[in-house]
């Protein structure tokens, strides 16, 4: 009887170790190094053709992104955005010299990199890290924006600033809503005809245009990260 009890204890101990090992392994593969995503939404513009309401004449926006996930709080993100912009100065009360009205339509393409910060430890599994399935986040970066308006192409540096909210649908799948405002260091997102309308010469900082996007995106994580837990509960 004593030998049988020892055998049962050994079996239980073995199963406990195996199950615990599998649980740790399952937790380890829930942490990943990379993330690829796509998003779609609406775009807006502020400049000579729209002086007060960024989404007065909304356009369409789409993007593709790649993240390097440094940890549960920080990431470096590369982003390519395409958006349609339009504006008409007749929609507003500001008056340009000669009483002229100006309008435009264009497409812009912005390629840049951003540093992203999650307000909470974001993820699932690895309970010792106190992870959450959701978090607000913010990002800032640098990029270059290409604008096609009036049959001409213009390039300028851009400074994108974003705020968003993300939710982890599954260990690898993320859903996010994000608002971005980007300052273009140039005055040609709306074309050459809408530059220096008051006779004030544009510069790197003066008379610059802005564009914005409000997008819904989905992303997928890949590249398992090796996780070693040293926490003792």
């Amino acid at each position: 009887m004593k030998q049988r009890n020892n055998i049962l204890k050994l079996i239980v101990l073995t199963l406990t170790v195996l199950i615990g090992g599998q649980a740790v392994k399952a937790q380890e593969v829930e942490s990943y190094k990379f993330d690829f995503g796509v998003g779609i939404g609406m775009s807006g513009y502020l400049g000579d053709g729209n002086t007060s309401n960024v989404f007065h004449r909304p356009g369409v926006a789409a993007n593709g992104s790649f993240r390097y996930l440094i940890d549960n709080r920080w990431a470096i993100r590369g982003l390519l955005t395409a958006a349609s912009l339009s504006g008409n100065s007749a929609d507003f009360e500001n008056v340009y010299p000669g009483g002229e009205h100006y309008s435009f339509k264009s497409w812009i393409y912005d390629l840049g990199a951003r540093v992203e910060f999650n307000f909470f430890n974001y993820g699932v599994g690895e309970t010792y890290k106190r992870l959450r399935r959701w978090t607000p986040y913010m990002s800032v970066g640098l990029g270059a924006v290409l604008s096609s308006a009036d049959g001409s192409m213009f390039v300028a540096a851009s400074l994108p600033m974003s705020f968003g909210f993300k939710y982890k649908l599954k260990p690898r799948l993320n859903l996010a809503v994000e608002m971005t405002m980007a300052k273009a260091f140039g005055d040609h997102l709306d074309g050459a005809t809408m530059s220096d309308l008051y006779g004030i010469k544009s510069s790197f900082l003066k008379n610059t245009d802005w564009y914005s996007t409000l997008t819904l995106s989905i992303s997928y994580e890949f590249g398992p990260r090796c996780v070693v837990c040293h926490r003792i509960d």
Side-chain angles (χ1 to χ4, degrees):
M1 177 66 72
K2 184 176 180 181
Q3 184 177 4
R4 181 183 300 175
N5 290 337
N6 290 335
I7 293 174
L8 288 174
K9 289 180 180 179
L10 181 61
I11 292 174
V12 170
L13 180 62
T14 302
L15 289 174
T16 301
V17 171
L18 289 174
I19 293 173
Q22 290 298 316
V24 170
K25 184 177 180 181
Q27 284 189 346
E28 289 178 0
V29 300
E30 288 177 352
S31 181
Y32 299 91
K33 294 183 289 186
F34 307 109
D35 172 293
F36 174 78
V38 293
I40 190 168
M42 60 189 291
S43 60
Y45 146 87
L46 283 176
D48 296 312
N50 181 354
T51 57
S52 59
N53 186 345
V54 69
F55 289 119
H56 176 66
R57 288 175 175 258
V60 62
N63 63 51
S65 69
F66 178 84
R67 285 184 181 90
Y68 170 59
L69 306 173
I70 300 173
D71 55 30
N72 300 112
R73 288 286 187 100
W74 293 94
I76 298 175
R77 184 184 184 191
L79 193 70
L80 175 62
T81 301
S84 62
L85 304 181
S86 64
N88 191 328
S89 63
D91 297 340
F92 302 91
E93 296 180 356
N94 56 302
V95 178
Y96 290 111
E100 297 290 340
H101 293 299
Y102 299 88
S103 64
F104 83 100
K105 291 182 179 180
S106 72
W107 275 89
I108 62 166
Y109 306 90
D110 191 304
L111 177 64
R114 306 177 188 180
V115 176
E116 190 172 281
F117 173 73
N118 297 324
F119 284 76
F120 304 126
N121 285 328
Y122 179 66
V124 296
E126 299 177 293
T127 55
Y128 71 97
K129 292 184 178 180
R130 306 295 191 263
L131 301 182
R132 298 193 184 192
R133 297 184 74 102
W134 59 272
T135 183
Y137 68 94
M138 62 184 298
S139 68
V140 64
L142 289 173
V145 58
L146 171 69
S147 172
S148 60
D150 302 333
S152 302
M153 307 292 284
F154 302 96
V155 178
S158 64
L159 176 65
M161 296 164 281
S162 301
F163 182 82
F165 181 90
K166 64 178 71 171
Y167 177 77
K168 188 167 284 295
L169 298 171
K170 292 184 177 181
R172 294 195 185 197
L173 204 60
N174 309 281
L175 190 67
V177 177
E178 180 179 280
M179 173 69 179
T180 297
M181 288 291 297
K183 181 180 179 65
F185 294 100
D187 195 29
H188 292 96
L189 291 189
D190 43 20
T193 59
M194 297 184 68
S195 178
D196 306 332
L197 296 181
Y198 288 112
I200 302 174
K201 186 175 177 57
S202 298
S203 66
F204 187 73
L205 296 174
K206 190 186 299 180
N207 292 352
T208 54
D209 296 324
W210 291 74
Y211 81 88
S212 64
T213 59
L214 178 61
T215 56
L216 176 67
S217 64
I218 190 166
S219 64
Y220 180 79
E221 296 176 10
F222 62 97
R225 174 183 279 113
C226 179
V227 178
V228 178
C229 176
H230 298 288
R231 178 180 175 86
I232 301 177
D233 290 320

